[in-house]
Amino acid sequence: MYFRYMKNLNLFIVYIITFLSFSCVGQQNKIDSLLILLKSPQIDTAKQFNLNNIAWEYYYIGSYDTAMLYANMAMKMSKEVIGKEKNPIIKVAFEKGESFSYNTIGDIYCDKGNYPEALKNHFASLKISEKFGDKSGISSSYNNIGNIYDAQGNFAEALKNYFACLKIKEEAGDKVGISASYVNIGNIYAEQGKYPEALQNYYTALKIKEEIGDKASQANPYNNIGNVYYYQNNFPEALKNFFIAMKIREDIGDQAGVASSLENIGNVYTKLKKFDKAGEFLRKAKDLSIEIGYKELLKNSYNSLAELDSSRGDFKGAYENHKLFILIRDSLDNEESRKSTIQSQMTYDFEKKEAVATAEHKIELKNQQALADEKSHKQKVVLLFVLGSLILVLLFAGFIFRSLRVTRKQKDIIEVQKNQVEEQKQEVEHQKNIVDEKQKEIIDSITYAKRLQHAILPSTDEIKKYLPNSFILYKPKDIVAGDFYWMHVSPIEDVVFIAAADSTGHGVPGAMVSVVCSNALNRAVNEFNLLETGKILDKTRELVLETFAKSGEEINDGMDISLLSIDRHSNQISWSGANNPLWFIQKGLSPNSEKNVKSEQNNLILSEIKPDKQSIGKTDNAQPFATHKIDLRIGDTYYLMTDGFADQFGGSKGKKYKYKQLQEKLIAGSELPLSAQKENLQNSFNEWRGNLEQVDDVTIIGIQI
């Protein structure tokens, strides 16, 4: 699911591909007309204007090198005239044309991903617009600069420039521009995960569109708003806005938009576990995509159907729909390659016509000069030409004949070498294609494995149902993880179990071990009906060892775990741990001899219960796991974790974060809501890590009673 600007971009690309042949004919005619106007030898503002327009037209069809050539020609002409021209009116006109050239060059660099050069040129354009007080040009530059910072992930600078653009649009009363600025600002907040701010800006943009009666463009803000609610897990509001967007798209006949809305609604129903409704909407999205021939939407529909089948345990159906997703995605890649070839051929045709037009212009000038010379020196020129030609032929005939023979031999040698180089190049490209394809298959398989691994994790809705005041910070190092979290609810005893576990390794090996360990935990409580945390870990270790023993090889893998049970009936907390501790924060210190006080602040005490120093797996001198009991008190906060956060390298000296700093961070923010605590932890982790690689999977669970 994407925000509106991503969907608009995809729709625009598909539109361009679908109508490429028609639009390029129009572009060709326009460029041909502009090239003819360049025949005039006079240097004036009209010629500069034509050069800038030709640069823009080539940029529009994606011929960046040719666009850059003409933009630089216009720039060079501007600088020459500005340096010599005395008339201030003409100088101003050329400087404004120079600003246009900088703008075009900046757009070219941006599309090519060269953001430093793009910024350099857009700032140069901005400087000229500010010199003449050109408000329209200034706001356009601010918007373009904001787009570049957005592409770089520099959200603070992007917002700064978008707000500057908005201010100018508001001063000018440009409601269309104001609405667009609010959408851009909302998009930045959405990318940052600041959903309330994103909603505020989307609603403001929507209100302006309603005021000016622009109903056709209201669907996208509603769709954006729906996306934000979706990511906030506010599914009723998400559905409400997706349905409004779909109704508008139906009214204006936007079938592609309707298909996209159907898919969004189906995805929400999947999250709500209303699988029949989800299937109904996703199949409609798929059928409509087929009907209108929109492969990009069809690809997304199969991907969503695979997600649906995986969520309801139909892994065969998930596999079949995932295969169709891969098939259409690959066909789109091939189609894009073919369209690129067509565009390259058309660019070649444009450049060929340009060369012909230039050659015709030179011939015309040469003919005019020849006619002038013929009037005054015709006889003399003819005699000199004939005499000179005859002398040259006699003197160099033999030399030329000999040179041709040598050249022919050299050409044969060069041709052989060229063929050898070409064969080697083709072989290298073939090997590269094989490697790229294998790498893509591996990444696709691991990405799909991520969905299967996520199936063993409890959903956010399920956790919030039984533990409404809680958070889970889960940051895998790779696509799949060795860390996992687990929850079980005993309906008879009214006991909630929750655990944070760290399997041996990370990535694919860690993920495989995590599936074995998660299955062993489920069997311990479901098959053997165990309720005491220590006995659950004893049985889990036994089942893990039994599973690994079936391979016939010595396997030392296992997991560390922190397992907590909350018994609201008996008002008791029980906990057991394998190498991972339990931390909890209380007001004042209760008389519990098992607690080890680690930190105290504002009458808030962070205590620790140390784990058994043995893992769930093969262990020398294995002992039964201890069960620790704590009286349940309202307001106490418990933290389960793996070692990934504390072991992360970073900071100014590249050292580990360590448990002491993590304890101080938790107790300092312990009076905040748990959602704010999670955000603080995540920000602290990212700031500490900086540009360093994440060293391990990270899991922290916070629960307030």
Side-chain angles (χ1 to χ4, degrees):
M1 186 174 297
Y2 303 91
F3 288 101
R4 181 177 68 102
Y5 63 96
M6 290 299 294
K7 289 184 177 290
N8 286 347
L9 180 59
N10 290 336
L11 183 60
F12 178 70
I13 291 172
V14 172
Y15 177 86
I16 290 297
I17 290 173
T18 306
F19 298 100
L20 185 63
S21 59
F22 299 104
S23 62
C24 285
V25 170
Q27 293 300 121
Q28 179 179 356
N29 291 337
K30 192 169 185 179
I31 291 174
D32 288 346
S33 300
L34 292 169
L35 287 171
I36 291 171
L37 293 174
L38 286 183
K39 287 184 176 183
S40 171
Q42 185 175 354
I43 296 178
D44 54 19
T45 54
K47 191 165 187 176
Q48 180 202 39
F49 178 80
N50 289 332
L51 285 169
N52 275 325
N53 275 347
I54 293 171
W56 180 255
E57 296 300 331
Y58 275 117
Y59 165 74
Y60 183 76
I61 65 172
S63 185
Y64 296 136
D65 291 340
T66 308
M68 185 72 80
L69 173 66
Y70 279 100
N72 281 322
M73 288 171 62
M75 181 77 71
K76 182 179 179 182
M77 178 185 293
S78 298
K79 291 186 180 300
E80 289 176 353
V81 172
I82 293 168
K84 299 176 182 178
E85 182 60 50
K86 303 299 183 183
N87 188 323
I89 297 176
I90 296 177
K91 289 183 69 170
V92 168
F94 270 93
E95 284 192 81
K96 290 186 175 180
E98 184 180 9
S99 175
F100 187 97
S101 300
Y102 277 125
N103 206 38
T104 302
I105 293 170
D107 287 339
I108 293 170
Y109 278 124
C110 182
D111 283 7
K112 296 176 78 170
N114 189 341
Y115 300 128
E117 284 298 322
L119 282 173
K120 174 182 174 182
N121 282 274
H122 280 306
F123 276 122
S125 177
L126 174 62
K127 184 177 180 181
I128 295 173
S129 296
E130 288 176 335
K131 176 180 178 181
F132 297 110
D134 180 6
K135 295 291 187 180
S136 177
I138 294 171
S139 65
S140 178
S141 291
Y142 280 138
N143 189 72
N144 291 336
I145 293 168
N147 290 339
I148 297 170
Y149 281 127
D150 182 13
Q152 290 180 304
N154 189 342
F155 299 132
E157 286 298 322
L159 282 175
K160 174 183 174 183
N161 283 275
Y162 285 150
F163 276 118
C165 176
L166 172 61
K167 182 179 179 182
I168 295 173
K169 295 295 185 185
E170 288 176 335
E171 291 172 354
D174 179 5
K175 291 194 173 183
V176 173
I178 294 170
S179 174
S181 294
Y182 276 119
V183 170
N184 285 339
I185 294 167
N187 291 342
I188 296 295
Y189 284 132
E191 289 180 80
Q192 292 179 301
K194 296 180 179 179
Y195 297 132
E197 293 88 344
L199 285 174
Q200 180 182 353
N201 282 275
Y202 288 146
Y203 276 121
T204 303
L206 181 60
K207 183 179 179 181
I208 295 171
K209 291 180 183 294
E210 291 172 345
E211 288 175 356
I212 62 179
D214 186 6
K215 182 177 181 181
S217 68
Q218 292 174 20
N220 287 329
Y222 277 118
N223 193 69
N224 270 17
I225 293 167
N227 284 333
V228 171
Y229 282 126
Y230 178 89
Y231 288 115
Q232 290 182 308
N233 294 323
N234 188 344
F235 299 127
E237 284 298 318
L239 280 175
K240 172 185 172 183
N241 284 278
F242 284 149
F243 273 113
I244 294 173
M246 184 170 70
K247 178 64 169 60
I248 294 172
R249 288 166 170 171
E250 288 174 339
D251 291 344
I252 66 176
D254 179 9
Q255 289 186 300
V258 172
S260 177
S261 294
L262 288 168
E263 184 197 350
N264 289 341
I265 294 167
N267 288 335
V268 176
Y269 281 129
T270 297
K271 288 290 186 182
L272 291 171
K273 299 187 185 303
K274 295 183 179 181
F275 298 134
D276 290 341
K277 274 189 168 292
E280 175 188 345
F281 280 91
L282 291 177
R283 282 190 292 273
K284 285 181 179 179
K286 179 196 70 175
D287 293 341
L288 182 54
S289 300
I290 294 172
E291 179 183 337
I292 64 178
Y294 197 156
K295 287 188 178 181
E296 183 69 27
L297 282 176
L298 182 59
K299 178 193 74 172
N300 294 340
S301 297
Y302 279 124
N303 192 40
S304 295
L305 285 167
E307 292 273 6
L308 169 61
D309 290 336
S310 178
S311 296
R312 59 184 174 188
D314 181 5
F315 297 113
K316 180 180 178 181
Y319 175 69
E320 293 299 326
N321 281 300
H322 184 68
K323 283 201 304 184
L324 291 169
F325 161 74
I326 295 294
L327 179 65
I328 295 175
R329 184 197 64 188
D330 290 345
S331 73
L332 280 172
D333 290 341
N334 292 335
E335 186 174 327
E336 286 298 324
S337 177
R338 181 174 62 82
K339 292 295 189 291
S340 177
T341 301
I342 292 173
Q343 181 174 324
S344 297
Q345 180 61 45
M346 289 168 47
T347 301
Y348 169 77
D349 291 341
F350 293 155
E351 292 171 350
K352 182 178 177 182
K353 286 182 176 293
E354 176 192 349
V356 171
T358 304
E360 289 174 352
H361 176 53
K362 290 181 179 179
I363 291 171
E364 182 180 349
L365 292 177
K366 185 177 180 180
N367 289 339
Q368 291 174 357
Q369 184 63 43
L371 288 173
D373 291 342
E374 186 178 15
K375 290 179 181 179
S376 59
H377 303 292
K378 183 175 181 180
Q379 293 297 327
K380 184 178 178 180
V381 170
V382 171
L383 288 172
L384 289 173
F385 176 75
V386 172
L387 182 60
S389 298
L390 183 58
I391 293 171
L392 288 173
V393 169
L394 292 174
L395 289 175
F396 296 106
F399 175 76
I400 292 172
F401 180 73
R402 182 176 176 277
S403 298
L404 286 173
R405 291 181 62 187
V406 174
T407 302
R408 188 177 295 109
K409 290 180 180 180
Q410 292 175 340
K411 181 180 178 183
D412 292 340
I413 295 171
I414 292 171
E415 190 67 28
V416 171
Q417 294 174 341
K418 179 182 176 183
N419 292 336
Q420 291 174 345
V421 171
E422 187 65 29
E423 290 174 0
Q424 293 171 355
K425 178 182 176 183
Q426 291 176 357
E427 178 62 24
V428 170
E429 289 179 350
H430 175 67
Q431 295 299 326
K432 180 180 181 296
N433 290 337
I434 292 174
V435 171
D436 290 345
E437 183 63 26
K438 293 300 181 184
Q439 183 183 24
K440 185 168 77 68
E441 290 176 1
I442 291 169
I443 295 298
D444 288 344
S445 298
I446 295 175
T447 302
Y448 189 68
K450 176 183 177 181
R451 296 199 194 111
L452 300 180
Q453 187 187 27
H454 274 216
I456 73 172
L457 301 177
S459 69
T460 303
D461 291 342
E462 185 179 6
I463 293 173
K464 289 294 185 182
K465 178 179 179 182
Y466 296 102
L467 299 171
N469 203 6
S470 64
F471 75 79
I472 294 181
L473 176 62
Y474 183 60
K475 292 175 69 67
K477 178 185 184 298
D478 301 308
I479 297 175
V480 290
D483 276 17
F484 69 96
Y485 49 95
W486 175 85
M487 190 177 81
H488 172 75
V489 180
S490 174
I492 298 176
E493 301 295 337
D494 192 23
V495 180
V496 178
F497 297 88
I498 189 163
D502 180 2
S503 302
T504 304
H506 49 74
V508 173
M512 296 178 70
V513 176
S514 73
V515 172
V516 172
C517 294
S518 176
N519 183 58
L521 283 167
N522 288 329
R523 289 185 63 193
V525 295
N526 292 322
E527 185 177 332
F528 294 94
N529 299 315
L530 298 176
L531 294 175
E532 185 178 326
T533 56
K535 293 186 181 298
I536 290 172
L537 294 190
D538 290 338
K539 177 56 72 174
T540 299
R541 176 170 58 194
E542 177 186 331
L543 294 173
V544 168
L545 291 174
E546 177 185 299
T547 300
F548 288 152
K550 293 177 182 178
S551 70
E553 299 179 5
E554 184 175 354
I555 300 177
N556 295 321
D557 292 313
M559 69 172 171
D560 298 334
I561 189 170
S562 177
L563 173 62
L564 184 76
S565 79
I566 303 171
D567 188 342
R568 300 187 187 277
H569 182 71
S570 64
N571 288 327
Q572 275 220 320
I573 299 289
S574 297
W575 176 83
S576 298
N579 288 328
N580 287 341
L582 172 68
W583 294 351
F584 56 99
I585 295 177
Q586 299 176 314
K587 283 198 173 183
L589 183 62
S590 63
N592 190 319
S593 61
E594 293 186 281
K595 292 190 298 181
N596 178 15
V597 176
K598 305 299 291 185
S599 184
E600 183 173 358
Q601 179 178 312
N602 298 331
N603 201 31
L604 294 173
I605 299 171
L606 187 149
S607 303
E608 177 186 62
I609 300 180
K610 294 185 176 180
D612 291 307
K613 293 299 182 180
Q614 56 183 358
S615 66
I616 304 295
K618 187 173 182 180
T619 304
D620 294 334
N621 193 26
Q623 300 293 322
F625 285 95
T627 298
H628 304 268
K629 295 188 179 293
I630 308 169
D631 293 336
L632 187 149
R633 299 195 335 176
I634 301 300
D636 289 355
T637 306
Y638 293 83
Y639 299 96
L640 315 176
M641 70 207 69
T642 62
D643 59 2
F645 198 113
D647 286 346
Q648 178 61 44
F649 290 97
S652 60
K653 298 182 180 179
K655 294 185 176 181
K656 285 187 178 182
Y657 194 92
K658 295 188 178 180
Y659 285 105
K660 178 65 175 175
Q661 186 177 183
L662 181 56
Q663 291 168 353
E664 293 171 353
K665 187 72 178 178
L666 288 174
I667 198 166
S670 60
E671 294 188 292
L672 295 172
L674 287 191
S675 59
Q677 291 188 37
K678 175 182 177 181
E679 185 175 356
N680 281 350
L681 286 171
Q682 186 156 319
N683 291 339
S684 180
F685 182 84
N686 291 336
E687 290 170 4
W688 181 262
R689 180 171 70 88
N691 295 325
L692 296 181
E693 181 183 0
Q694 184 174 334
V695 299
D696 198 1
D697 304 319
V698 173
T699 304
I700 297 181
I701 301 175
I703 305 163
Q704 190 172 76
I705 303 302

